[in-house]
Amino acid sequence: MKRYELVLDEPDRVFFSGDEIKGHVAVTLDSNITVQGITIRLVGEACVAVPDTFRAPRTVDRRKRFNNKISPSPGVHGESPARKLGNAGPFHQGKTYRFSAVERYFHHKEYLFGHKYSSFKEQLWKGSHNFAFQYTLPAQLPSSFNGHFGFVRYYCESSVERWRNKEVKRIYFSVANVTDINQVPKADCSSKDEKCTNSCFFCVPRGTIIASSEIRHRGYACGETANITIDIHNMSNNDVTKTTVSIIQTATYTCSQNLRHQEDERKVLSQELGSVLQSESEHSVAKMLIPPLPPSSISQDICKLINIQYRFEINMELKESKGQLTLQMPLVIGNIPLRKNFENLEDESSYNYTKQFIIPFKLHKQRNLPQVWSEFSQNPEPTTCVYETTDFCPAYPFYREKSKNKQCSPKETRV
């Protein structure tokens, strides 16, 4: 076989729920070959595997040797990830697992050439062959996600089925769930948090520190800038050495019966502010550019295994104290901004179509939407999920403001 390729017509490989996927399989042969057929398979699934941090007693460990699966999907060679875990038992690479689960959203397979009853007698002639295919994604799919204990992934796989071997090509693609912030309760409402502390040193009072933070609204789309107002009144003998503003992502992994769950938090973006000395006050505004991220889990029925939530967190470290003062405010991330913010984002009239990252926002119910790009997300640390993992980095819709394309400030880091 001289050439064998699987190609999707969408170069960015970013789709929305209900979109149509089109592509083709290209095969070039130096000579005639006999095959059973050429197949195409499209799969969407969520996999979760949470390890134990300790080895439980044998009686308790037996209870944990179940495989909690929901309609397991086949792997590369037709074997489901859940079955792989079941064969390995609860001990995989020296680890035990509290629970595991697989949720399948679709599994479509068809023969582009030949059929399953051909008994490997189909003749594929010498030369170049193109086999086109198309598939319409189901509605209400969860967004692609790579997490520490699981993932939501979508891929397209073609195979040339021969007598003693099978040649497989696989392409991963991203799916974005349409999340309209305008339909989320309190997304347009402001949020505020305020705390004070009375520090002591060997039972001697050190004074009071009052801190407050506020945002104008809780809902943002990726690419928008959140202005966080922070006020610190240091009426103590202790210095506030550093103030850090962060975006925290909380992923909750759950088994199918909701009997067990595990939370995992990671800092996706952080920005450092200055110090506040004794008997001083500081008023500052932190500008946080929302990076490409999967939207918040608004509907619990879309993905029953993984729930994603976000929040703003402000941590103030004290010089002569082991503790710290923390403020928290809710954050809702979607891919349709608040309507009142449409005018602040770039529209099609200001766009140069020579760019490669533009993707059409295929929404029939939305009109006059700002222009949207696709940007790759930054993966967290390597996953410990027992299922077959990949280095594929999902992409998400990303807006740009009409002013200059804002970049992270020197003190702002993405984790």
Side-chain angles (χ1 to χ4, degrees):
M1 189 176 296
K2 186 176 182 180
R3 185 172 68 99
Y4 175 36
E5 292 182 352
L6 173 61
V7 181
L8 295 181
D9 293 348
E10 175 61 47
D12 290 337
R13 301 178 188 175
V14 179
F15 302 90
F16 296 91
S17 301
D19 279 358
E20 190 176 63
I21 298 179
K22 295 181 179 181
H24 66 274
V25 177
V27 179
T28 303
L29 302 175
D30 294 328
S31 60
N32 302 341
I33 62 174
T34 302
V35 299
Q36 182 185 17
I38 298 177
T39 63
I40 190 72
R41 192 162 64 94
L42 293 101
V43 177
E45 62 185 0
C47 301
V48 169
V50 178
D52 269 332
T53 55
F54 61 91
R55 287 185 179 271
R58 185 176 181 182
T59 56
V60 179
D61 189 57
R62 279 180 183 173
R63 285 182 198 170
K64 297 181 181 180
R65 290 190 182 184
F66 67 88
N67 183 23
N68 191 10
K69 53 187 177 180
I70 307 174
S71 181
S73 60
V76 178
H77 301 293
E79 184 179 7
S80 67
R83 185 177 177 182
K84 292 180 181 179
L85 180 61
N87 293 338
F91 303 97
H92 180 82
Q93 298 179 352
K95 296 182 181 180
T96 61
Y97 289 85
R98 291 182 56 201
F99 63 85
S100 62
V102 178
E103 187 176 43
R104 187 176 66 183
Y105 307 111
F106 61 88
H107 177 213
H108 174 75
K109 181 179 179 180
E110 64 175 304
Y111 276 82
L112 304 179
F113 176 79
H115 53 86
K116 62 180 179 180
Y117 302 110
S118 65
S119 300
F120 301 94
K121 294 182 180 180
E122 295 288 339
Q123 289 289 332
L124 195 58
W125 303 104
K126 175 183 177 181
S128 299
H129 307 272
N130 280 332
F131 303 96
F133 65 88
Q134 63 180 20
Y135 176 72
T136 301
L137 294 174
Q140 298 299 318
L141 290 174
S143 296
S144 301
F145 173 71
N146 282 352
H148 191 58
F149 299 122
F151 51 80
V152 178
R153 66 179 180 182
Y154 302 89
Y155 61 88
C156 176
E157 180 182 283
S158 67
S159 62
V160 178
E161 299 179 358
R162 307 180 68 178
W163 173 246
R164 291 187 177 181
N165 58 3
K166 180 191 293 185
E167 298 192 34
V168 179
K169 294 288 185 178
R170 176 181 288 189
I171 292 180
Y172 289 89
F173 58 89
S174 302
V175 172
N177 179 41
V178 179
T179 304
D180 190 354
I181 304 177
N182 300 276
Q183 299 179 359
V184 179
K186 297 184 179 180
D188 196 16
C189 299
S190 61
S191 180
K192 185 177 182 180
D193 192 14
E194 182 176 354
K195 288 184 181 179
C196 64
T197 178
N198 294 318
S199 58
C200 298
F201 184 74
F202 288 104
C203 300
V204 178
R206 301 294 303 270
T208 303
I209 299 176
I210 301 176
S212 64
S213 60
E214 184 178 7
I215 52 176
R216 292 186 177 180
H217 54 89
R218 309 178 185 185
Y220 294 89
C222 298
E224 289 189 289
T225 300
N227 297 322
I228 306 173
T229 303
I230 304 172
D231 292 305
I232 302 176
H233 302 280
N234 190 354
M235 299 175 289
S236 68
N237 297 328
N238 199 357
D239 295 337
V240 178
T241 57
K242 183 174 64 174
T243 302
T244 305
V245 185
S246 307
I247 296 178
I248 306 297
Q249 180 191 78
T250 303
T252 304
Y253 303 90
T254 311
C255 67
S256 61
Q257 289 82 15
N258 292 323
L259 299 177
R260 293 189 176 126
H261 68 276
Q262 176 70 39
E263 288 189 357
D264 178 63
E265 291 188 353
R266 77 178 182 104
K267 187 184 299 183
V268 297
L269 186 69
S270 64
Q271 180 178 344
E272 292 185 5
L273 303 179
S275 60
V276 182
L277 303 180
Q278 306 172 14
S279 304
E280 290 186 359
S281 298
E282 181 70 23
H283 173 83
S284 57
V285 178
K287 297 182 180 296
M288 304 287 288
L289 179 66
I290 307 298
L293 292 169
S296 303
S297 299
I298 298 174
S299 176
Q300 304 296 330
D301 297 333
I302 298 180
C303 182
K304 299 179 181 179
L305 302 184
I306 303 176
N307 183 279
I308 304 174
Q309 301 296 334
Y310 299 93
R311 71 174 185 271
F312 290 114
E313 187 171 282
I314 299 97
N315 293 320
M316 288 151 281
E317 297 182 3
L318 307 181
K319 182 178 181 180
E320 298 180 1
S321 176
K322 294 183 179 180
Q324 60 182 4
L325 191 60
T326 302
L327 303 176
Q328 296 180 352
M329 294 178 295
L331 169 62
V332 179
I333 294 181
N335 45 41
I336 298 182
L338 293 173
R339 292 186 178 87
K340 67 178 184 180
N341 295 337
F342 280 9
E343 59 183 10
N344 299 328
L345 304 176
E346 287 190 3
D347 52 16
E348 294 187 4
S349 62
S350 60
Y351 172 69
N352 184 0
Y353 283 91
T354 58
K355 294 280 186 179
Q356 295 182 349
F357 294 107
I358 189 67
I359 59 174
F361 215 129
K362 302 171 183 177
L363 299 176
H364 303 288
K365 297 182 180 179
Q366 299 292 332
R367 297 181 178 179
N368 301 324
L369 277 172
Q371 190 60 67
V372 62
W373 284 257
S374 63
E375 294 286 348
F376 291 105
S377 175
Q378 291 186 347
N379 284 330
E381 56 188 278
T383 179
T384 60
C385 183
V386 67
Y387 299 114
E388 180 190 357
T389 58
T390 177
D391 295 332
F392 173 73
C393 182
Y396 305 103
F398 188 84
Y399 295 86
R400 295 178 182 176
E401 298 182 347
K402 284 186 177 180
S403 56
K404 298 180 180 179
N405 294 334
K406 298 186 178 181
Q407 304 291 336
C408 298
S409 61
K411 294 185 179 181
E412 185 176 309
T413 58
R414 294 186 182 181
V415 181

